[in-house]
Amino acid sequence: MKLASLSRSLLRTATVVAFALTATACATNPGDSGATDAAYQVNDPLEIPNRFVFAANEAADVLVIRPAAEVYVGVVPDPVRDAIHNFIDNLMSPLYIANNLLQGNVEGASNATGRFLTNTILGAGGIADVATQAGIPRAPEDFGQTLAVWGVGDGPYIVLPLLGPSNLRDTAGYAVDTVGDPVRIWAYGTDHKGMLVGRAVVGAVDRRSEILKEVDDLRRNSLDFYATARSLYQQQRRAAIANNKAAASPEFPDYSTPPKP
């Protein structure tokens, strides 16, 4: 009962935020060259508190997450890391399917369903990424992207504790994805909440391990790492929403997927 009540509360909150953002969507959907220039500027009215949270996240990364990722790379063989990465991503497939359907993207939903079934059945539960080898590309979709397709604007830029760069729309989308995560629903329903913690920790370390050098280079070469991360996040999200394969590179670490417990 408590879980259902919390889920309804989060969904109501996310819906209210979505409607509020829809009211300002026209302001972020340019119709002329001047509007286009404005749309490509990051809306960061909370920059001072955002920088404080960003600094705290950086400290956590330098002191804990990055060292853990280095140990992970040094101890766990490449094939095992690949299997872990594939398995975690396969668990997210039902959300990818649902968001494609909510966006009216039947082809994307069919693609995501094909990947899920192929990797689950032929890939030993998702451990092997057979779908990619079969020519079925990976194309994650989240509810933040769905809101964007519905015309909801970004809203103000936000840096979330531990989760990193976001904005008001994507934060609302993250809340909905968290509530709708089938693994989370199963874990709470069967009293396996510890599995969610393990998935979140392993997932964060796994993603961080893939961009050790890239993030080090960004830190070393950026005059303002906060501004660089903010710009990269905006580019990545716009590319993802447009289903553009040429996203900003290198990617800034995103610890928001899979959803936290």
Side-chain angles (χ1 to χ4, degrees):
M1 186 64 69
K2 290 182 179 179
L3 175 59
S5 177
L6 175 61
S7 298
R8 287 194 296 269
S9 177
L10 284 172
L11 284 170
R12 281 197 298 269
T13 300
T15 302
V16 170
V17 171
F19 277 117
L21 287 172
T22 302
T24 62
C26 292
T28 57
N29 187 15
D32 53 46
S33 59
T36 300
D37 292 340
Y40 277 86
Q41 295 176 1
V42 180
N43 179 17
D44 192 5
L46 303 173
E47 182 169 350
I48 293 177
N50 277 341
R51 283 185 177 273
F52 178 80
V53 176
F54 185 82
N57 287 349
E58 276 291 279
D61 183 68
V62 171
L63 296 175
V64 179
I65 301 174
R66 189 187 186 286
E70 285 188 305
V71 172
Y72 178 69
V73 170
V75 172
V76 181
D78 288 351
V80 177
R81 295 204 309 273
D82 289 342
I84 291 172
H85 181 84
N86 293 336
F87 180 74
I88 292 175
D89 183 68
N90 196 57
L91 291 178
M92 303 303 297
S93 293
L95 285 177
Y96 302 160
I97 297 168
N99 279 299
N100 271 298
L101 290 173
L102 289 171
Q103 294 170 26
N105 186 353
V106 178
E107 182 180 352
S110 176
N111 177 83
T113 302
R115 279 189 60 85
F116 179 57
L117 293 176
T118 300
N119 285 340
T120 299
I121 297 172
L122 302 180
I127 292 176
D129 187 3
V130 180
T132 296
Q133 299 174 19
I136 308 176
R138 178 179 180 272
E141 295 289 335
D142 56 61
F143 197 70
Q145 291 168 257
T146 298
L147 290 175
V149 170
W150 291 352
V152 178
D154 296 358
Y157 178 74
I158 302 171
V159 180
L160 300 174
L162 293 181
L163 301 180
S166 187
N167 56 48
L168 186 56
R169 179 199 60 217
D170 290 344
T171 300
Y174 174 74
V176 173
D177 281 334
T178 299
V179 172
D181 176 17
V183 176
R184 178 181 180 276
I185 294 171
W186 171 83
Y188 271 84
T190 59
D191 197 25
H192 287 82
K193 300 175 187 176
M195 193 192 94
L196 294 176
V197 176
R199 180 184 64 163
V201 171
V202 173
V205 173
D206 174 66
R207 284 187 300 280
R208 185 63 177 88
S209 71
E210 296 184 323
I211 48 176
L212 284 169
K213 182 180 183 299
E214 289 82 355
V215 174
D216 287 347
D217 289 343
L218 279 177
R219 283 187 177 133
R220 183 169 53 252
N221 298 322
S222 298
L223 294 176
D224 183 351
F225 189 35
Y226 170 85
T228 299
R230 182 179 61 188
S231 177
L232 282 176
Y233 176 77
Q234 179 178 253
Q235 293 175 54
Q236 288 173 212
R237 288 304 288 172
R238 285 192 172 138
I241 291 165
N243 292 323
N244 182 356
K245 303 307 179 184
S249 180
E251 292 191 1
F252 189 75
D254 174 12
Y255 303 126
S256 62
T257 304
K260 66 180 179 181

